[in-house]
Amino acid sequence: MEGTTMTVNPASARAPGTRRRRILAALGVTALLTGSLYSLGPGSATASSHREAPLVAADPAIDNTDLYAFVSPDRPGYVTFVANWQPFEEPNGGPNFYPFATDATYHIKVDNDGDAKPDAEFRWKFRNIDNRRGSTFLYNNGPVTSLDDENLLFKQTYTLESSFDGAPFKTRVQDAPVAPSRVGAASMPDYATLRDQATRTLPGGWNIFAGQADDPFFLDLRVFDLLYGGDLSETGQDTVAGYNVNTIALQVPFKDVALNGDAGRNPVIGVWSTTERNRVRITGGEQSGGKVQVSRLGNPLINEVIVPAALKDAFNASPPRLDAKTPALVKRVLEPEVPKLIESIYKIPAPRTPRNDLAEIFLTGITTKAGGPIKADLNSQLNNADVRASRFTPAEELRLNLTVPVADQPNRLGVLGGDLQGFPNGRRLADDVVDVELQALVGAAQTGKLVDALATGDGVDANDQDFTAEFPYVALPNGVAVNTANKQAGAAAPLPSTDGGKTGAGVDADGASTARTAGASVPVAYATGASGLAVLIVVAGLFLLLRRRRGRATGATHGSTDYDRTIQL
């Protein structure tokens, strides 16, 4: 609103009823300013994982926490994608709990020809059905035994659309039910039934699910305290245990995502998930300007521990096709920060740079055709028979070879543990990605041997809840407070598992500047935290202005002359 003027006459305060009109007018200006500041927030943004970037940390509903892609262990010829949003959902977080955002679209994208552009795209849009109106604040007003129970006052549904090879999006299902947030044992005595009712099979053999689930990620986040206290004394605590997330799960046949529909000739796919919002968002008003990407996730922990703070928001808004054109990002892969920290704290020598092994893991996939140090052909699209090598574009994607057999005895360390079906060949729910990435960062992928000094990793080797043996594989959401001493007293009872829970589903400133000139940073929608701060600033300023004007108006009654003052906004 730069350049807008408003004229205020303090003498008008003496007129009957004028003060009330002035306050209402000022509140109108506040609302207008609030909308303007909301739409003029930070000029660029991007994101991935649990609160890993500044803007998504303030807007959890659009924050991708984790992405999983694996061959379905109980359904040959089908691949499962599990994408999670909204980290650290405390089970007692009522009365509004944790809905999906209705002003955003949630995406899973698949690149099968290696050009870092989506060849198969799946898009979810959510809608609220709120029967509370003005009568109550409650999420439910009695026990909920089914998704259409009249006691469930707040519900969500979604539309799933798909697009293949750039064709227009086609609606696959409309008004599919979302499994609600788990309020508690009294409100939802049989949550497993609600989960089952929200799991659907579509024509073509697709299985779909959207709703709340236990957070399947397991790790000790005290890694940020000088790498577990500087002496590995701060390990063994699953930081996300007891928390829930919002989950979208999709299971489709190989032919729907493989290049030319032929997974035998073209077995490798690259996957990432995103969230998109309108470019301009005005609180309580219209949305405009088209959709822009505000969150992105492929491999786990990339934006958290590879990408520097100055580049995190830009990474979230940037598509994979720009990764190789972003020198600051490529530099952080080839010259990672973590090995240097480990060397300074634990005296474990950092491997020599450039780290071409990490470039294979995170940017090209593992293949002998890229000339890297890992002598294997595993999960690069360059291994697809019908891929044109001249069009291949290095990009940060979670790559999966669909034809690697499902492991009879999955190893939590995946490829590093001799289990080629595990991370970084896709990601199963039970893969211990923290330990795998720590080992890879200190050179285990180069030597083929684990680094003994970090053999115990973060001391968290499995999820606190067993995964299930059938789609959607994630555990039921937790139902008791995280800070409850005996959490298991009312925790989610896991559904039966046939394998003991081991199911395979189971920059510096200069660098940041370079990234901007390379085009990695693009305009995006703006986080609610930033707008909230703007509102506080405007309200505080308005309060001081009115107080000041009231004082001057009082002064006018003691002989001050009337005058008009122009305020530049």
Side-chain angles (χ1 to χ4, degrees), residues 392-405:
F392 182 81
T393 302
E396 196 283 295
E397 300 174 1
L398 180 64
R399 290 177 170 85
L400 171 65
N401 186 324
L402 298 170
T403 59
V404 174

Side-chain angles (χ1 to χ4, degrees), residues 11 70 102 121 127 257 329 360 363 365 395 398 410 457 462 508 544 547:
F70 50 89
T102 57
E121 185 169 358
R127 183 174 71 93
V257 292
L329 176 61
E360 277 197 77
L363 296 178
L398 180 64
D508 47 31
L544 293 174
R547 183 175 181 181

Side-chain angles (χ1 to χ4, degrees), residues 43 64 103 118 122 139 150 181 229 243 249 266 306 347 367 379 389 398 414 416 424 427 473 488 530 559 561-562:
N64 287 106
D103 60 347
F122 308 92
Y139 193 83
E150 63 180 9
S181 296
Y243 289 101
N266 305 295
I306 298 294
K347 311 307 178 186
T367 177
N379 67 338
L398 180 64
L416 288 181
R427 182 184 178 189
Y473 304 109
Q488 297 305 317
T561 58
D562 292 348

Side-chain angles (χ1 to χ4, degrees), residues 102 127-132 152-157 175:
T102 57
R127 183 174 71 93
N128 293 342
I129 302 175
D130 193 345
N131 293 321
R132 295 172 297 186
L152 184 60
L153 302 179
F154 181 87
K155 307 174 185 178
Q156 286 196 303
T157 63
D175 294 328

Side-chain angles (χ1 to χ4, degrees), residues 70 80 82 195 199 208-209 247 249 429 468 470-475 505:
F70 50 89
T80 295
V82 175
R195 154 77 67 84
T199 303
I208 58 172
F209 169 80
T247 292
L429 294 174
T468 71
E470 298 177 347
F471 182 87
Y473 304 109
V474 288

Side-chain angles (χ1 to χ4, degrees), residues 334-349:
L334 298 178
E335 301 177 14
E337 179 181 4
V338 172
K340 299 175 184 177
L341 294 174
I342 293 175
E343 181 176 47
S344 65
I345 296 173
Y346 293 112
K347 311 307 178 186
I348 299 173

Side-chain angles (χ1 to χ4, degrees), residues 107-111 118 120-122 270-274 276 293:
H107 302 247
I108 293 176
K109 303 180 181 182
V110 179
D111 167 25
E121 185 169 358
F122 308 92
V271 188
W272 68 100
S273 57
T274 66
E276 296 181 4
Q293 180 180 305

